[in-house]
């Protein structure tokens, strides 16, 4: 973003990478896949790079409002200095908090999840998805809580998946009745309380009951929890982000 500003230009969109997309080895693959798609179709995007810090979502969900506000204010100052208008992120946690909780602190932006942005590009005719590679495969989609129930977005991910020529199978609990993977509300960063079964194992078993070849996600936290769940039950079913599936379909 600093380079764009130095040249007196502004990108079409700012890509908010997020902590997971920047530092988690598995989530970095989602970041790369999404960037490859945007590069291929010529979408001008920028990142904050080292100027980007955590949105403060985990701190807020864990109950530390003070730390959240400090982090948020720092980010808002940077975003406003660059006169950012539109933000896209592959993390529903970043999406939710920048969209719904930054405005009252002075950070007002158009914020979209990467599946919404890719759907928009598809509707504009800029993104064409060739899905032949997935013909005959079964895919089930796990709804991220902060994309689905918190923000009412269920169709964008499914619209993209339907272009892959695979059979989209729904879990018994899906959309507004979907089950959390167990990572939301800062639970990602702690061990679960004792109980009959870990929630991510419960959710993975629901997904595997549909006999899919691929479990699709749209969230790096869900990716971690579902991948751990698949390993727990010794399944060879793949867990992939929608951006990765589209990049794979396009041989990127």
């Amino acid at each position: 973003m600093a380079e764009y500003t130095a040249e007196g230009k502004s990108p079409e969109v700012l890509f908010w990478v997020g902590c997971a997309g920047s530092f988690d080895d598995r989530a970095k693959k989602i970041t790369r896949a999404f960037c490859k798609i945007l590069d291929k179709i010529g979408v001008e995007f920028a990142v904050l790079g080292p100027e980007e810090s955590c949105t403060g979502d985990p701190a807020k969900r864990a109950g530390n409002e003070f730390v959240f506000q400090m982090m948020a204010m720092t980010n808002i100052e940077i975003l406003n200095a660059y006169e950012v208008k539109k933000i896209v992120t592959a993390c529903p946690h970043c999406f939710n908090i920048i969209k719904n909780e930054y405005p009252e602190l002075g950070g007002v932006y158009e914020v979209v999840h990467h599946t919404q942005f890719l759907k928009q590009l598809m509707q504009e005719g800029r993104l064409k998805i060739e899905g032949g590679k997935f013909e005959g495969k079964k895919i089930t989609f796990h709804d991220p809580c902060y994309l689905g129930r918190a923000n009412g977005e269920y169709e964008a991910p499914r619209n993209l998946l339907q272009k892959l020529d695979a059979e989209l199978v729904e879990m018994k609990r899906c959309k507004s009745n979907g089950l959390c993977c167990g990572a939301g509300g800062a639970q990602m960063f702690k061990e679960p309380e004792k109980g009959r079964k870990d929630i991510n194992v419960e959710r993975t078993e629901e997904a595997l009951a549909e006999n899919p070849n691929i479990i699709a996600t749209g969230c790096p936290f869900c990716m971690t929890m579902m991948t751990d769940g698949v390993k727990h039950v010794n399944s060879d079913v793949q867990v992939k982000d929608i951006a990765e599936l589209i990049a794979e379909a396009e041989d990127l």
Side-chain angles (χ1 to χ4, degrees):
M1 197 70 191
E3 288 167 20
Y4 267 95
T5 305
E7 292 172 17
K9 298 192 300 183
S10 60
E12 182 178 337
V13 69
L14 173 79
F15 175 30
W16 186 278
V17 183
C19 299
S22 300
F23 301 114
D24 179 82
D25 285 342
R26 179 64 188 86
K28 284 179 196 173
K29 294 177 182 175
I30 302 170
T31 302
R32 290 193 188 101
F34 182 56
C35 291
K36 282 176 182 174
I37 296 166
L38 298 188
D39 271 339
K40 188 197 174 192
I41 60 177
V43 175
E44 277 202 72
F45 69 97
V47 296
L48 288 176
E51 291 182 278
E52 180 187 303
S53 65
C54 178
T55 59
D57 173 79
K60 186 174 181 77
R61 303 297 162 226
N64 199 329
E65 182 69 21
F66 176 69
V67 168
F68 158 66
Q69 290 204 14
M70 276 177 37
M71 291 173 138
M73 292 303 292
T74 303
N75 288 326
I76 288 166
E77 277 179 31
I78 292 165
L79 291 167
N80 288 351
Y82 283 127
E83 298 180 351
V84 169
K85 302 286 188 292
K86 185 170 182 176
I87 297 171
V88 61
T89 178
C91 175
H93 298 256
C94 299
F95 163 68
N96 177 68
I97 206 157
I98 299 173
K99 178 175 183 275
N100 297 321
E101 303 191 39
Y102 272 34
E104 63 188 30
L105 298 172
V108 181
Y109 321 102
E110 180 189 352
V111 190
V112 292
H113 185 252
H114 72 318
T115 57
Q116 294 175 320
F117 191 54
L118 291 171
K119 179 190 171 186
Q120 181 188 326
L121 292 169
M122 189 170 69
Q123 288 173 332
E124 291 169 359
R126 296 165 72 186
L127 173 65
K128 293 176 176 60
I129 301 171
E130 302 293 331
K133 194 171 280 190
F134 295 96
E135 208 167 328
K137 296 258 175 87
K138 281 169 84 172
I139 299 177
T140 191
F141 179 65
H142 163 73
D143 287 284
C145 294
Y146 282 109
L147 182 63
R149 282 194 299 269
N151 288 285
E153 182 58 81
Y154 301 107
E155 296 314 314
R158 288 172 172 83
N159 290 160
L160 295 168
L161 289 170
Q162 279 158 356
K163 294 290 180 185
L164 294 175
D165 296 337
E167 182 189 351
L168 181 59
V169 291
E170 295 286 6
M171 291 181 239
K172 288 202 167 46
R173 285 191 276 190
C174 65
K175 298 189 178 178
S176 59
N177 193 39
L179 179 69
C180 175
C181 71
Q187 299 294 305
M188 177 76 177
F189 306 102
K190 58 180 275 297
E191 290 302 313
E193 288 84 3
K194 286 196 171 121
R196 181 178 58 82
K197 188 192 294 181
D198 285 358
I199 189 168
N200 66 313
V201 174
E202 173 86 7
R203 185 56 167 164
T204 304
E205 287 173 351
E206 286 187 3
L208 296 176
E210 303 304 325
N211 295 313
N213 301 100
I214 298 163
I215 299 171
T217 68
C219 170
F221 286 10
C222 297
M223 169 68 71
T224 297
M225 302 302 271
M226 300 301 281
T227 302
D228 285 353
V230 165
K231 285 178 187 166
H232 179 85
V233 297
N234 291 318
S235 169
D236 58 359
V237 169
Q238 294 179 301
V239 185
K240 296 206 166 177
D241 187 89
I242 290 174
E244 293 180 299
L245 294 171
I246 294 171
E248 204 174 306
E250 301 297 312
D251 288 320
L252 299 178

